[in-house]
Amino acid sequence: MWWAAFLAAHAVDLVAVFLLADESTAEAFRRVFYANCVSAGLTAIAAVAALVLMRRIDRWQDGRPAIR
């Protein structure tokens, strides 16, 4: 899930940069702003999902016997 959200955030950024930023109108800037908000939200989702994954791995490793 974190990887999909991460890639989606970057895809939204690419759309904002290449397709929406060509114009210099107020409407174009508004669309870029909304695209950046969506990207930030997807990045936050990716961060939370990565933290959940790291916590699961940590719990899994704590439950295993130590190798000596």
Side-chain angles (χ1 to χ4, degrees):
M1 182 175 162
W2 74 271
W3 188 243
F6 181 75
L7 290 177
H10 286 290
V12 170
D13 282 340
L14 286 175
V15 168
V17 168
F18 289 117
L19 297 179
L20 300 177
D22 288 339
E23 302 174 30
S24 294
T25 63
E27 183 61 31
F29 287 117
R30 189 175 296 114
R31 286 184 281 170
V32 170
F33 171 76
Y34 290 135
N36 285 336
C37 289
V38 169
S39 176
L42 288 169
T43 302
I45 290 170
V48 170
L51 288 173
V52 168
L53 177 66
M54 286 188 283
R55 189 168 182 168
R56 284 183 185 175
I57 291 171
D58 186 50
R59 285 182 182 168
W60 173 68
Q61 288 177 339
D62 285 342
R64 298 180 70 193
I67 299 173
R68 296 200 167 129

